[in-house]
Amino acid sequence: MFRSVNQPVGYVFGAVYVVVGILGFTVSGGHDVAGAHGGELFGVFGVNALHNVVHIGIGVALIAGATLALSFHGE
């Protein structure tokens, strides 16, 4: 059971970041890894491979933080 609203929010935002990072790889192929121009996710958001890796890293960190918060509370 969650003791704080921060834990489920961390899980949700972490999952969204990971999904967006993975989806970004579907449109960033053939572009520079860290170039100024890349693919467009949903036709709106400009992404490149480095951007996708950062999104996945942030998502993993949020999920890990929410999980570690549970272990610190003894659950």
Side-chain angles (χ1 to χ4, degrees):
M1 187 54 109
F2 298 115
R3 292 181 181 222
S4 168
V5 72
N6 296 336
Q7 292 163 344
V9 169
Y11 281 124
V12 170
F13 275 81
V16 168
Y17 267 93
V18 169
V19 168
V20 167
I22 292 170
L23 286 175
F25 281 114
T26 64
V27 297
S28 65
H31 298 285
D32 291 336
V33 171
H37 302 287
E40 287 190 357
L41 185 60
F42 304 123
V44 178
F45 304 107
V47 295
N48 58 34
L50 181 61
H51 193 195
N52 299 332
V53 169
V54 169
H55 267 98
I56 292 170
I58 290 170
V60 168
L62 286 169
I63 292 170
T67 303
L68 288 174
L70 286 175
S71 67
F72 285 131
H73 288 294
E75 293 184 20

